[in-house]
Amino acid sequence: MNRRKFIRRSTAAAVTASLYSSRSIAAALQALLQVTSDVDAITGDGANTVLEKAAVQELSDSLRGNLLVTGSDGYDIARRVLNKSIDKYPALIVQPTGVADIQSAVTFARERNLLLAVKCGGHSFSGKSTCDGGMQIDLSSFRNVRVDTGNKTAYVSGGSLLGEIDHECMAHGLVTTAGTVSHTGVGGLTLGGGFGRVARRFGLALDNLTGVDIVTADGRLRHASADENPDLYWGVRGGGGNFGIVTSFEFALHEMQRDVIGGNVIWPLSDARDVLKFYADYCAAATDDLYLDFVLFSPPANAEPVALIHACYCGPASKADTVLAPLNNFGSPLVNQIKTIDYVEMQRSGDDSDPRTGGQYLKSGFTDGISDELVDALAEGFEPHPDRSTISFFQQSGGAIGRVPSDATAFAQRWASHSVFTTVSWEPGVDRDPHVSYVRKYWNEVEPGTRGFYTNEVADESQQTINSNYEGNFKKLLGVKQEYDPGNLFRLNANIRSG
Ligand SMILES: Cc1cc2nc3c(=O)[nH]c(=O)nc-3n(C[C@H](O)[C@H](O)[C@H](O)COP(=O)(O)OP(=O)(O)OC[C@H]3O[C@@H](n4cnc5c(N)ncnc54)[C@H](O)[C@@H]3O)c2cc1C
């Protein structure tokens, strides 16, 4: 045991002996895990293995952060992800507070060929950031954003959430692309893409990534940028978590006014077909500073289902009326909530009302335009149900995203006009099977109008489907994977593998 841990442990013991208790002392004691037995675990290949008590204790003692096992305080929060139907129990959870802890954890996992999950915001729909029997590296204690206003760059720690970037950057009148729900993780969102309200103007989150610090499978900390390890820099911009754990993201920032203009315009579900056709045409004509979502939304408990368009205009205020006139004048909406709003507030506006906090199931794809056949399939098959929330969602792409060549980064789907998905969510205790079956059946009708799927929404696709989804970038990605993670330690993702 090192000196620092010894002092902390002795102090904690003394404090306990004095029967003095407080939350912070409980937390300090928690950090000092006493491993009492060997730990059963699972390897990346699914085999059983046993982690010796002494080795686990040594790992714990080497960390500044926490090592948690079943029964530890905080274990149940850490193992969970946003999708409550994912209920997995890692053998070990490491909560690093810095790069050295991440290096120790990665080395420990690689040496024992452990199944390894990496969690940032925990928003992976299919629960790739937790696992049964392996090690989870939970980055939630590793959050920070530093803004360098001089060179307009944000340095973001690997476990940070999107809202932290928006908050810190906008304080200086600066912005970079982030997704539309502020508690989503920077890690998962950026490495696979990163659509958001300003992406058509400034590119995907990954297009703004000028460099990363990353701990690769060999436990080394590397920098990757256009000048250093350029192959790795290329790969992390679209290859997801396949190559290592990003400890620091460097984002290019852009000047932008705080006030944007936008919000929801909402129609009854019976207008869905007309609204979606209007949406398709309006999107096709949109300038880069206009971003548009389309949503079919049916809340549970027989509440009224609706069709809505969400808009965010981030261009000059003097042009807003003209740009938004087609939307403001279309049809007979139930309500029009378009207004001038602080950008950071808008970025948080979906946080509380996001219904995807129960169990959930999702199918996703990309579209190149929205054909009449796709409109029909989406409108006809959309079925409200009292036991679930049902959403079909178009997120607009194009603009600056589409002007990047498809082989410039590992993200291939530059051709897409939209990312589209259908998801259902249900409260704990509700039988998931009928709702999952519904999405699969509905998606069978919708899928012919789509192509590929968003890497960040990978679920249970076959290896062949995952590989072909990287399109022309797959071969190069396989080479980068073989160089930096030959043993496929980082496999819980849209995994790059021959086969
Ligand atoms: C409510 C909600 C809203 C969303 N909105 C958007 C949106 O507007 N735009 C958009 O593009 N997508 C959006 N998504 C999808 C989102 O991009 C993915 O769910 C993404 O995986 C979330 O990242 P996370 O860090 O929260 O996920 P996690 O579940 O924590 O991680 C997912 C995967 O990312 C990898 N990973 C995470 N952090 C790191 C790291 N530091 N280093 C290496 N690998 C890492 C790991 O492989 C991990 O398995 C949304 C999802 C949800 C649930």
mmCIF file of all heavy atoms in Angstrom, residues 191-236:
data_model
loop_
_atom_site.group_PDB
_atom_site.id
_atom_site.type_symbol
_atom_site.label_atom_id
_atom_site.label_comp_id
_atom_site.label_asym_id
_atom_site.label_seq_id
_atom_site.Cartn_x
_atom_site.Cartn_y
_atom_site.Cartn_z
ATOM 1 N N LEU A 191 -17.141 10.959 -30.582
ATOM 2 C CA LEU A 191 -16.316 9.976 -31.280
ATOM 3 C C LEU A 191 -17.070 9.282 -32.415
ATOM 4 O O LEU A 191 -16.460 8.754 -33.339
ATOM 5 C CB LEU A 191 -15.768 8.952 -30.278
ATOM 6 C CG LEU A 191 -14.843 9.572 -29.209
ATOM 7 C CD1 LEU A 191 -14.484 8.545 -28.143
ATOM 8 C CD2 LEU A 191 -13.586 10.144 -29.850
ATOM 9 N N GLY A 192 -18.416 9.303 -32.333
ATOM 10 C CA GLY A 192 -19.200 8.666 -33.402
ATOM 11 C C GLY A 192 -19.816 9.661 -34.365
ATOM 12 O O GLY A 192 -20.374 9.271 -35.387
ATOM 13 N N GLY A 193 -19.807 10.943 -34.060
ATOM 14 C CA GLY A 193 -20.451 11.928 -34.939
ATOM 15 C C GLY A 193 -20.664 13.232 -34.218
ATOM 16 O O GLY A 193 -19.757 14.029 -34.033
ATOM 17 N N GLY A 194 -21.901 13.427 -33.749
ATOM 18 C CA GLY A 194 -22.208 14.646 -33.007
ATOM 19 C C GLY A 194 -23.040 15.620 -33.803
ATOM 20 O O GLY A 194 -22.558 16.667 -34.229
ATOM 21 N N PHE A 195 -24.337 15.272 -34.015
ATOM 22 C CA PHE A 195 -25.285 16.202 -34.633
ATOM 23 C C PHE A 195 -25.800 17.152 -33.568
ATOM 24 O O PHE A 195 -25.889 16.777 -32.392
ATOM 25 C CB PHE A 195 -26.484 15.434 -35.225
ATOM 26 C CG PHE A 195 -26.098 14.496 -36.326
ATOM 27 C CD1 PHE A 195 -25.803 13.165 -36.052
ATOM 28 C CD2 PHE A 195 -25.999 14.944 -37.633
ATOM 29 C CE1 PHE A 195 -25.436 12.291 -37.070
ATOM 30 C CE2 PHE A 195 -25.631 14.078 -38.654
ATOM 31 C CZ PHE A 195 -25.343 12.755 -38.364
ATOM 32 N N GLY A 196 -26.173 18.350 -33.979
ATOM 33 C CA GLY A 196 -26.716 19.286 -32.997
ATOM 34 C C GLY A 196 -27.233 20.541 -33.663
ATOM 35 O O GLY A 196 -27.202 20.672 -34.898
ATOM 36 N N ARG A 197 -27.698 21.464 -32.832
ATOM 37 C CA ARG A 197 -28.424 22.631 -33.344
ATOM 38 C C ARG A 197 -27.558 23.572 -34.183
ATOM 39 O O ARG A 197 -28.086 24.351 -34.958
ATOM 40 C CB ARG A 197 -29.053 23.403 -32.171
ATOM 41 C CG ARG A 197 -30.177 22.628 -31.486
ATOM 42 C CD ARG A 197 -30.867 23.448 -30.414
ATOM 43 N NE ARG A 197 -32.034 22.753 -29.888
ATOM 44 C CZ ARG A 197 -32.045 22.016 -28.775
ATOM 45 N NH1 ARG A 197 -30.944 21.898 -28.058
ATOM 46 N NH2 ARG A 197 -33.136 21.394 -28.389
ATOM 47 N N VAL A 198 -26.225 23.523 -33.984
ATOM 48 C CA VAL A 198 -25.374 24.414 -34.798
ATOM 49 C C VAL A 198 -24.470 23.615 -35.746
ATOM 50 O O VAL A 198 -23.541 24.156 -36.332
ATOM 51 C CB VAL A 198 -24.537 25.376 -33.917
ATOM 52 C CG1 VAL A 198 -25.450 26.315 -33.140
ATOM 53 C CG2 VAL A 198 -23.623 24.613 -32.955
ATOM 54 N N ALA A 199 -24.776 22.325 -35.905
ATOM 55 C CA ALA A 199 -23.886 21.457 -36.716
ATOM 56 C C ALA A 199 -23.934 21.802 -38.197
ATOM 57 O O ALA A 199 -22.935 21.647 -38.902
ATOM 58 C CB ALA A 199 -24.271 19.997 -36.503
ATOM 59 N N ARG A 200 -25.067 22.256 -38.683
ATOM 60 C CA ARG A 200 -25.132 22.604 -40.109
ATOM 61 C C ARG A 200 -24.289 23.840 -40.392
ATOM 62 O O ARG A 200 -23.810 24.038 -41.495
ATOM 63 C CB ARG A 200 -26.595 22.824 -40.523
ATOM 64 C CG ARG A 200 -27.405 21.528 -40.558
ATOM 65 C CD ARG A 200 -28.880 21.767 -40.691
ATOM 66 N NE ARG A 200 -29.221 22.787 -41.667
ATOM 67 C CZ ARG A 200 -29.165 22.614 -42.986
ATOM 68 N NH1 ARG A 200 -28.797 21.459 -43.491
ATOM 69 N NH2 ARG A 200 -29.501 23.606 -43.797
ATOM 70 N N ARG A 201 -24.066 24.647 -39.374
ATOM 71 C CA ARG A 201 -23.236 25.849 -39.549
ATOM 72 C C ARG A 201 -21.752 25.545 -39.283
ATOM 73 O O ARG A 201 -20.883 26.012 -40.009
ATOM 74 C CB ARG A 201 -23.749 26.938 -38.592
ATOM 75 C CG ARG A 201 -22.999 28.239 -38.724
ATOM 76 C CD ARG A 201 -23.730 29.355 -38.001
ATOM 77 N NE ARG A 201 -22.859 30.506 -37.811
ATOM 78 C CZ ARG A 201 -23.090 31.508 -36.999
ATOM 79 N NH1 ARG A 201 -24.200 31.534 -36.279
ATOM 80 N NH2 ARG A 201 -22.243 32.505 -36.882
ATOM 81 N N PHE A 202 -21.471 24.746 -38.231
ATOM 82 C CA PHE A 202 -20.076 24.556 -37.815
ATOM 83 C C PHE A 202 -19.572 23.127 -37.994
ATOM 84 O O PHE A 202 -18.432 22.823 -37.643
ATOM 85 C CB PHE A 202 -19.921 24.952 -36.337
ATOM 86 C CG PHE A 202 -20.259 26.395 -36.066
ATOM 87 C CD1 PHE A 202 -21.218 26.730 -35.115
ATOM 88 C CD2 PHE A 202 -19.638 27.415 -36.764
ATOM 89 C CE1 PHE A 202 -21.539 28.062 -34.855
ATOM 90 C CE2 PHE A 202 -19.955 28.758 -36.519
ATOM 91 C CZ PHE A 202 -20.904 29.083 -35.562
ATOM 92 N N GLY A 203 -20.388 22.234 -38.502
ATOM 93 C CA GLY A 203 -19.969 20.841 -38.678
ATOM 94 C C GLY A 203 -20.339 19.987 -37.477
ATOM 95 O O GLY A 203 -20.794 20.480 -36.438
ATOM 96 N N LEU A 204 -20.148 18.673 -37.635
ATOM 97 C CA LEU A 204 -20.389 17.738 -36.524
ATOM 98 C C LEU A 204 -19.455 18.066 -35.372
ATOM 99 O O LEU A 204 -18.412 18.717 -35.566
ATOM 100 C CB LEU A 204 -20.083 16.306 -36.978
ATOM 101 C CG LEU A 204 -20.992 15.680 -38.044
ATOM 102 C CD1 LEU A 204 -20.352 14.401 -38.582
ATOM 103 C CD2 LEU A 204 -22.366 15.399 -37.468
ATOM 104 N N ALA A 205 -19.775 17.549 -34.195
ATOM 105 C CA ALA A 205 -18.850 17.715 -33.057
ATOM 106 C C ALA A 205 -17.460 17.224 -33.464
ATOM 107 O O ALA A 205 -16.443 17.872 -33.185
ATOM 108 C CB ALA A 205 -19.369 16.954 -31.842
ATOM 109 N N LEU A 206 -17.396 16.083 -34.166
ATOM 110 C CA LEU A 206 -16.078 15.545 -34.514
ATOM 111 C C LEU A 206 -15.356 16.379 -35.565
ATOM 112 O O LEU A 206 -14.128 16.315 -35.692
ATOM 113 C CB LEU A 206 -16.168 14.066 -34.918
ATOM 114 C CG LEU A 206 -17.005 13.618 -36.113
ATOM 115 C CD1 LEU A 206 -16.348 13.907 -37.442
ATOM 116 C CD2 LEU A 206 -17.265 12.121 -35.994
ATOM 117 N N ASP A 207 -16.080 17.181 -36.327
ATOM 118 C CA ASP A 207 -15.421 18.068 -37.296
ATOM 119 C C ASP A 207 -14.707 19.218 -36.599
ATOM 120 O O ASP A 207 -13.840 19.870 -37.190
ATOM 121 C CB ASP A 207 -16.441 18.640 -38.285
ATOM 122 C CG ASP A 207 -17.023 17.561 -39.175
ATOM 123 O OD1 ASP A 207 -16.285 16.610 -39.504
ATOM 124 O OD2 ASP A 207 -18.214 17.660 -39.527
ATOM 125 N N ASN A 208 -15.096 19.470 -35.367
ATOM 126 C CA ASN A 208 -14.478 20.554 -34.593
ATOM 127 C C ASN A 208 -13.367 20.054 -33.674
ATOM 128 O O ASN A 208 -12.780 20.829 -32.928
ATOM 129 C CB ASN A 208 -15.553 21.262 -33.766
ATOM 130 C CG ASN A 208 -16.504 22.037 -34.658
ATOM 131 O OD1 ASN A 208 -16.163 23.133 -35.102
ATOM 132 N ND2 ASN A 208 -17.655 21.475 -34.976
ATOM 133 N N LEU A 209 -13.111 18.756 -33.747
ATOM 134 C CA LEU A 209 -12.098 18.150 -32.881
ATOM 135 C C LEU A 209 -10.723 18.382 -33.506
ATOM 136 O O LEU A 209 -10.423 17.846 -34.574
ATOM 137 C CB LEU A 209 -12.401 16.653 -32.768
ATOM 138 C CG LEU A 209 -11.801 15.873 -31.613
ATOM 139 C CD1 LEU A 209 -12.221 16.461 -30.277
ATOM 140 C CD2 LEU A 209 -12.241 14.408 -31.702
ATOM 141 N N THR A 210 -9.898 19.181 -32.846
ATOM 142 C CA THR A 210 -8.571 19.467 -33.415
ATOM 143 C C THR A 210 -7.500 18.559 -32.834
ATOM 144 O O THR A 210 -6.380 18.512 -33.343
ATOM 145 C CB THR A 210 -8.181 20.937 -33.167
ATOM 146 O OG1 THR A 210 -8.308 21.204 -31.758
ATOM 147 C CG2 THR A 210 -9.080 21.882 -33.931
ATOM 148 N N GLY A 211 -7.822 17.835 -31.781
ATOM 149 C CA GLY A 211 -6.850 16.898 -31.224
ATOM 150 C C GLY A 211 -7.445 16.169 -30.034
ATOM 151 O O GLY A 211 -8.461 16.599 -29.470
ATOM 152 N N VAL A 212 -6.842 15.039 -29.696
ATOM 153 C CA VAL A 212 -7.247 14.313 -28.482
ATOM 154 C C VAL A 212 -6.002 13.817 -27.771
ATOM 155 O O VAL A 212 -4.974 13.563 -28.390
ATOM 156 C CB VAL A 212 -8.135 13.069 -28.796
ATOM 157 C CG1 VAL A 212 -9.479 13.466 -29.341
ATOM 158 C CG2 VAL A 212 -7.436 12.077 -29.725
ATOM 159 N N ASP A 213 -6.103 13.679 -26.451
ATOM 160 C CA ASP A 213 -5.184 12.832 -25.685
ATOM 161 C C ASP A 213 -5.943 11.539 -25.476
ATOM 162 O O ASP A 213 -7.124 11.563 -25.092
ATOM 163 C CB ASP A 213 -4.854 13.454 -24.325
ATOM 164 C CG ASP A 213 -3.999 14.705 -24.456
ATOM 165 O OD1 ASP A 213 -3.401 14.903 -25.533
ATOM 166 O OD2 ASP A 213 -3.947 15.482 -23.486
ATOM 167 N N ILE A 214 -5.267 10.421 -25.686
ATOM 168 C CA ILE A 214 -5.986 9.143 -25.637
ATOM 169 C C ILE A 214 -5.089 8.068 -25.034
ATOM 170 O O ILE A 214 -3.905 7.978 -25.379
ATOM 171 C CB ILE A 214 -6.479 8.766 -27.063
ATOM 172 C CG1 ILE A 214 -7.210 7.413 -27.072
ATOM 173 C CG2 ILE A 214 -5.373 8.775 -28.110
ATOM 174 C CD1 ILE A 214 -7.967 7.126 -28.386
ATOM 175 N N VAL A 215 -5.672 7.287 -24.125
ATOM 176 C CA VAL A 215 -4.966 6.124 -23.568
ATOM 177 C C VAL A 215 -5.349 4.930 -24.433
ATOM 178 O O VAL A 215 -6.514 4.544 -24.493
ATOM 179 C CB VAL A 215 -5.351 5.875 -22.097
ATOM 180 C CG1 VAL A 215 -4.715 4.582 -21.590
ATOM 181 C CG2 VAL A 215 -4.919 7.051 -21.227
ATOM 182 N N THR A 216 -4.359 4.391 -25.128
ATOM 183 C CA THR A 216 -4.631 3.264 -26.025
ATOM 184 C C THR A 216 -4.500 1.945 -25.248
ATOM 185 O O THR A 216 -4.127 1.938 -24.071
ATOM 186 C CB THR A 216 -3.682 3.307 -27.240
ATOM 187 O OG1 THR A 216 -2.363 3.585 -26.781
ATOM 188 C CG2 THR A 216 -4.114 4.377 -28.217
ATOM 189 N N ALA A 217 -4.765 0.833 -25.937
ATOM 190 C CA ALA A 217 -4.858 -0.467 -25.254
ATOM 191 C C ALA A 217 -3.565 -0.860 -24.554
ATOM 192 O O ALA A 217 -3.595 -1.594 -23.558
ATOM 193 C CB ALA A 217 -5.260 -1.537 -26.260
ATOM 194 N N ASP A 218 -2.423 -0.366 -25.035
ATOM 195 C CA ASP A 218 -1.144 -0.689 -24.385
ATOM 196 C C ASP A 218 -0.923 0.140 -23.121
ATOM 197 O O ASP A 218 0.117 0.025 -22.468
ATOM 198 C CB ASP A 218 0.020 -0.499 -25.366
ATOM 199 C CG ASP A 218 0.048 0.906 -25.969
ATOM 200 O OD1 ASP A 218 -0.751 1.760 -25.521
ATOM 201 O OD2 ASP A 218 0.841 1.148 -26.887
ATOM 202 N N GLY A 219 -1.885 0.984 -22.777
ATOM 203 C CA GLY A 219 -1.788 1.785 -21.555
ATOM 204 C C GLY A 219 -1.033 3.094 -21.755
ATOM 205 O O GLY A 219 -0.902 3.881 -20.820
ATOM 206 N N ARG A 220 -0.564 3.337 -22.996
ATOM 207 C CA ARG A 220 0.184 4.581 -23.252
ATOM 208 C C ARG A 220 -0.751 5.751 -23.498
ATOM 209 O O ARG A 220 -1.810 5.608 -24.107
ATOM 210 C CB ARG A 220 1.066 4.419 -24.496
ATOM 211 C CG ARG A 220 2.386 3.739 -24.199
ATOM 212 C CD ARG A 220 3.202 3.600 -25.460
ATOM 213 N NE ARG A 220 3.509 4.871 -26.102
ATOM 214 C CZ ARG A 220 4.033 4.980 -27.319
ATOM 215 N NH1 ARG A 220 4.318 3.906 -28.017
ATOM 216 N NH2 ARG A 220 4.297 6.167 -27.844
ATOM 217 N N LEU A 221 -0.331 6.919 -23.021
ATOM 218 C CA LEU A 221 -1.063 8.153 -23.326
ATOM 219 C C LEU A 221 -0.461 8.753 -24.594
ATOM 220 O O LEU A 221 0.749 8.998 -24.659
ATOM 221 C CB LEU A 221 -0.921 9.148 -22.171
ATOM 222 C CG LEU A 221 -1.556 10.517 -22.405
ATOM 223 C CD1 LEU A 221 -3.084 10.426 -22.490
ATOM 224 C CD2 LEU A 221 -1.158 11.504 -21.295
ATOM 225 N N ARG A 222 -1.294 8.955 -25.602
ATOM 226 C CA ARG A 222 -0.800 9.516 -26.865
ATOM 227 C C ARG A 222 -1.593 10.770 -27.184
ATOM 228 O O ARG A 222 -2.730 10.920 -26.746
ATOM 229 C CB ARG A 222 -0.995 8.529 -28.014
ATOM 230 C CG ARG A 222 -0.300 7.191 -27.810
ATOM 231 C CD ARG A 222 -0.810 6.202 -28.862
ATOM 232 N NE ARG A 222 -0.494 4.838 -28.490
ATOM 233 C CZ ARG A 222 0.477 4.115 -29.018
ATOM 234 N NH1 ARG A 222 1.257 4.622 -29.950
ATOM 235 N NH2 ARG A 222 0.670 2.872 -28.627
ATOM 236 N N HIS A 223 -0.982 11.615 -27.987
ATOM 237 C CA HIS A 223 -1.711 12.748 -28.534
ATOM 238 C C HIS A 223 -1.989 12.436 -29.997
ATOM 239 O O HIS A 223 -1.137 11.871 -30.684
ATOM 240 C CB HIS A 223 -0.889 14.034 -28.414
ATOM 241 C CG HIS A 223 -1.658 15.248 -28.820
ATOM 242 N ND1 HIS A 223 -2.710 15.751 -28.081
ATOM 243 C CD2 HIS A 223 -1.560 16.033 -29.913
ATOM 244 C CE1 HIS A 223 -3.214 16.806 -28.695
ATOM 245 N NE2 HIS A 223 -2.538 17.000 -29.808
ATOM 246 N N ALA A 224 -3.163 12.765 -30.460
ATOM 247 C CA ALA A 224 -3.482 12.553 -31.879
ATOM 248 C C ALA A 224 -4.058 13.842 -32.444
ATOM 249 O O ALA A 224 -5.002 14.417 -31.876
ATOM 250 C CB ALA A 224 -4.477 11.401 -32.037
ATOM 251 N N SER A 225 -3.476 14.290 -33.530
ATOM 252 C CA SER A 225 -3.926 15.513 -34.189
ATOM 253 C C SER A 225 -3.486 15.421 -35.650
ATOM 254 O O SER A 225 -2.918 14.402 -36.063
ATOM 255 C CB SER A 225 -3.273 16.734 -33.529
ATOM 256 O OG SER A 225 -1.875 16.705 -33.764
ATOM 257 N N ALA A 226 -3.695 16.478 -36.393
ATOM 258 C CA ALA A 226 -3.288 16.457 -37.805
ATOM 259 C C ALA A 226 -1.782 16.233 -37.932
ATOM 260 O O ALA A 226 -1.320 15.648 -38.916
ATOM 261 C CB ALA A 226 -3.697 17.765 -38.469
ATOM 262 N N ASP A 227 -1.009 16.656 -36.912
ATOM 263 C CA ASP A 227 0.457 16.562 -37.007
ATOM 264 C C ASP A 227 1.038 15.365 -36.265
ATOM 265 O O ASP A 227 2.216 15.051 -36.433
ATOM 266 C CB ASP A 227 1.104 17.833 -36.417
ATOM 267 C CG ASP A 227 0.619 19.071 -37.133
ATOM 268 O OD1 ASP A 227 0.409 18.986 -38.359
ATOM 269 O OD2 ASP A 227 0.412 20.103 -36.458
ATOM 270 N N GLU A 228 0.291 14.769 -35.387
ATOM 271 C CA GLU A 228 0.830 13.714 -34.534
ATOM 272 C C GLU A 228 -0.127 12.521 -34.565
ATOM 273 O O GLU A 228 -1.318 12.699 -34.314
ATOM 274 C CB GLU A 228 0.917 14.277 -33.097
ATOM 275 C CG GLU A 228 1.997 13.674 -32.274
ATOM 276 C CD GLU A 228 2.070 14.362 -30.890
ATOM 277 O OE1 GLU A 228 1.727 15.570 -30.778
ATOM 278 O OE2 GLU A 228 2.442 13.672 -29.950
ATOM 279 N N ASN A 229 0.377 11.351 -34.860
ATOM 280 C CA ASN A 229 -0.483 10.170 -35.010
ATOM 281 C C ASN A 229 -1.722 10.484 -35.867
ATOM 282 O O ASN A 229 -2.875 10.281 -35.428
ATOM 283 C CB ASN A 229 -0.933 9.645 -33.638
ATOM 284 C CG ASN A 229 0.239 9.194 -32.785
ATOM 285 O OD1 ASN A 229 1.093 8.435 -33.241
ATOM 286 N ND2 ASN A 229 0.311 9.680 -31.560
ATOM 287 N N PRO A 230 -1.517 10.986 -37.084
ATOM 288 C CA PRO A 230 -2.668 11.424 -37.889
ATOM 289 C C PRO A 230 -3.649 10.298 -38.224
ATOM 290 O O PRO A 230 -4.845 10.556 -38.392
ATOM 291 C CB PRO A 230 -2.034 11.997 -39.167
ATOM 292 C CG PRO A 230 -0.622 11.520 -39.180
ATOM 293 C CD PRO A 230 -0.231 11.248 -37.767
ATOM 294 N N ASP A 231 -3.142 9.044 -38.291
ATOM 295 C CA ASP A 231 -4.059 7.927 -38.573
ATOM 296 C C ASP A 231 -5.045 7.733 -37.420
ATOM 297 O O ASP A 231 -6.244 7.493 -37.617
ATOM 298 C CB ASP A 231 -3.273 6.632 -38.843
ATOM 299 C CG ASP A 231 -2.276 6.312 -37.722
ATOM 300 O OD1 ASP A 231 -1.976 7.206 -36.900
ATOM 301 O OD2 ASP A 231 -1.810 5.154 -37.664
ATOM 302 N N LEU A 232 -4.528 7.870 -36.199
ATOM 303 C CA LEU A 232 -5.383 7.735 -35.013
ATOM 304 C C LEU A 232 -6.363 8.913 -34.941
ATOM 305 O O LEU A 232 -7.559 8.733 -34.633
ATOM 306 C CB LEU A 232 -4.487 7.693 -33.771
ATOM 307 C CG LEU A 232 -5.119 7.422 -32.415
ATOM 308 C CD1 LEU A 232 -5.936 6.143 -32.415
ATOM 309 C CD2 LEU A 232 -4.031 7.348 -31.329
ATOM 310 N N TYR A 233 -5.876 10.095 -35.256
ATOM 311 C CA TYR A 233 -6.729 11.299 -35.282
ATOM 312 C C TYR A 233 -7.867 11.110 -36.289
ATOM 313 O O TYR A 233 -9.029 11.431 -36.000
ATOM 314 C CB TYR A 233 -5.859 12.497 -35.649
ATOM 315 C CG TYR A 233 -6.604 13.810 -35.820
ATOM 316 C CD1 TYR A 233 -7.414 14.325 -34.815
ATOM 317 C CD2 TYR A 233 -6.460 14.544 -37.003
ATOM 318 C CE1 TYR A 233 -8.080 15.538 -34.989
ATOM 319 C CE2 TYR A 233 -7.114 15.751 -37.174
ATOM 320 C CZ TYR A 233 -7.929 16.242 -36.173
ATOM 321 O OH TYR A 233 -8.577 17.429 -36.341
ATOM 322 N N TRP A 234 -7.527 10.551 -37.435
ATOM 323 C CA TRP A 234 -8.557 10.272 -38.445
ATOM 324 C C TRP A 234 -9.571 9.264 -37.878
ATOM 325 O O TRP A 234 -10.782 9.449 -37.994
ATOM 326 C CB TRP A 234 -7.870 9.712 -39.706
ATOM 327 C CG TRP A 234 -8.810 9.315 -40.798
ATOM 328 C CD1 TRP A 234 -9.319 10.120 -41.780
ATOM 329 C CD2 TRP A 234 -9.369 8.007 -41.029
ATOM 330 N NE1 TRP A 234 -10.161 9.391 -42.598
ATOM 331 C CE2 TRP A 234 -10.206 8.098 -42.154
ATOM 332 C CE3 TRP A 234 -9.244 6.780 -40.386
ATOM 333 C CZ2 TRP A 234 -10.913 6.999 -42.666
ATOM 334 C CZ3 TRP A 234 -9.949 5.679 -40.887
ATOM 335 C CH2 TRP A 234 -10.766 5.803 -42.017
ATOM 336 N N GLY A 235 -9.076 8.207 -37.237
ATOM 337 C CA GLY A 235 -9.940 7.122 -36.769
ATOM 338 C C GLY A 235 -10.883 7.519 -35.647
ATOM 339 O O GLY A 235 -12.041 7.090 -35.626
ATOM 340 N N VAL A 236 -10.404 8.343 -34.710
ATOM 341 C CA VAL A 236 -11.284 8.696 -33.582
ATOM 342 C C VAL A 236 -12.417 9.608 -34.025
ATOM 343 O O VAL A 236 -13.420 9.734 -33.321
ATOM 344 C CB VAL A 236 -10.535 9.374 -32.392
ATOM 345 C CG1 VAL A 236 -9.547 8.422 -31.750
ATOM 346 C CG2 VAL A 236 -9.871 10.674 -32.789
#
